[in-house]
Amino acid sequence: MHPLIQHINKINSRSVTDVPKILSFFEAYSFRKKEMLLEEGKRCAAYFFVIKGCLRLFFTDENGVEQTLQFALENWWMTDLEAFRSGRISGYSIQALEPTEVLSISHRNYEQLLRENSLMEEYFRRVYERAYAASLLRIQLITRMPKQAFYENFESKYPGFLQRIPQKVLASFLGFTPEYLSELRKKRKEKK
């Protein structure tokens, strides 16, 4: 079964009955490692579902430092949702961190898919609810936990990330400098 259909069936209370119809709204794309799917300052025209690989959403601050806000692994969605929804230019970039295969849906197709299929309306509502809850938890952990505890929590919940994401990118996501993350990892290895 197609990964998107599996994901829809896993999250929804109802299953997809017309697989070809749902998939007809999407286009498949492949991206090389470090290839950009969306660039900050450009129009956001697509919403991406990761079939294979890893994406990151980030912006570049006034000092030229990249700040990573989100990752998307297999079966995760990624876009600049406000820019996608409104048709405005994006305040973020999306980059493939490894060779990545995605399904892409345009705004027009997305709106049509939701109008024509209540199952997909339910699916995306549940996806957004989960993403919002995860964002709130991340903010809470960043603000409440000491840095070392925050890293240890992340390491225990997402051990696969540590192998797939470059240290500089992971540090920007965690709110650390690369040097601090390197020192933290070194200390943890010494303890083990």
Side-chain angles (χ1 to χ4, degrees):
M1 185 179 296
H2 192 280
L4 175 60
I5 302 304
Q6 284 179 329
H7 196 252
I8 294 166
N9 291 342
K10 178 182 171 187
I11 289 182
N12 271 12
S13 59
R14 302 175 285 151
S15 295
V16 175
T17 56
D18 192 353
V19 171
K21 177 74 171 165
I22 297 293
L23 294 178
S24 73
F25 287 90
F26 295 87
E27 293 184 45
Y29 292 98
S30 295
F31 296 93
R32 296 179 312 279
K33 181 177 181 176
K34 296 188 179 182
E35 190 171 355
M36 301 299 284
L37 286 71
L38 172 66
E39 292 183 39
E40 190 173 343
K42 302 244 172 120
R43 189 172 161 274
C44 179
Y47 200 169
F48 303 103
F49 178 79
V50 179
I51 301 294
K52 179 182 177 193
C54 181
L55 302 176
R56 75 170 175 137
L57 180 131
F58 69 98
F59 68 93
T60 305
D61 70 16
E62 64 278 352
N63 298 319
V65 177
E66 294 176 355
Q67 301 293 317
T68 301
L69 299 177
Q70 292 179 342
F71 295 108
L73 296 172
E74 291 81 7
N75 299 321
W76 293 17
W77 288 91
M78 182 168 279
T79 194
D80 175 345
L81 195 55
E82 178 57 24
F84 177 75
R85 189 190 62 75
S86 67
R88 295 186 187 134
I89 61 169
S90 180
Y92 306 99
S93 295
I94 298 176
Q95 180 184 43
L97 292 178
E98 57 192 36
T100 301
E101 297 172 14
V102 300
L103 284 184
S104 174
I105 188 167
S106 68
H107 186 264
R108 191 176 118 256
N109 279 359
Y110 174 79
E111 290 295 328
Q112 184 179 348
L113 176 64
L114 296 184
R115 273 193 311 273
E116 293 179 6
N117 196 311
S118 64
L119 176 99
M120 293 306 292
E121 182 84 38
E122 175 187 345
Y123 168 72
F124 277 107
R125 178 182 51 81
R126 289 175 185 235
V127 166
Y128 296 142
E129 288 170 353
R130 292 170 80 176
Y132 182 68
S135 293
L136 290 178
L137 178 60
R138 178 172 177 248
I139 292 167
Q140 183 182 57
L141 295 177
I142 286 173
T143 56
R144 286 191 172 174
M145 289 182 132
K147 287 184 174 188
Q148 183 172 342
F150 180 57
Y151 174 75
E152 290 169 359
N153 178 276
F154 184 84
E155 180 182 47
S156 69
K157 286 189 177 182
Y158 307 103
F161 270 10
L162 302 179
Q163 306 306 316
R164 296 175 75 175
I165 296 172
Q167 184 166 308
K168 180 180 177 183
V169 173
L170 181 59
S172 77
F173 175 75
L174 295 171
F176 302 167
T177 64
E179 297 78 18
Y180 179 80
L181 180 56
S182 180
E183 188 64 31
L184 189 59
R185 283 180 157 177
K186 183 180 172 185
K187 285 179 185 176
R188 289 192 45 76
K189 282 182 183 176
E190 289 171 359
K191 281 184 179 179
K192 293 180 181 180

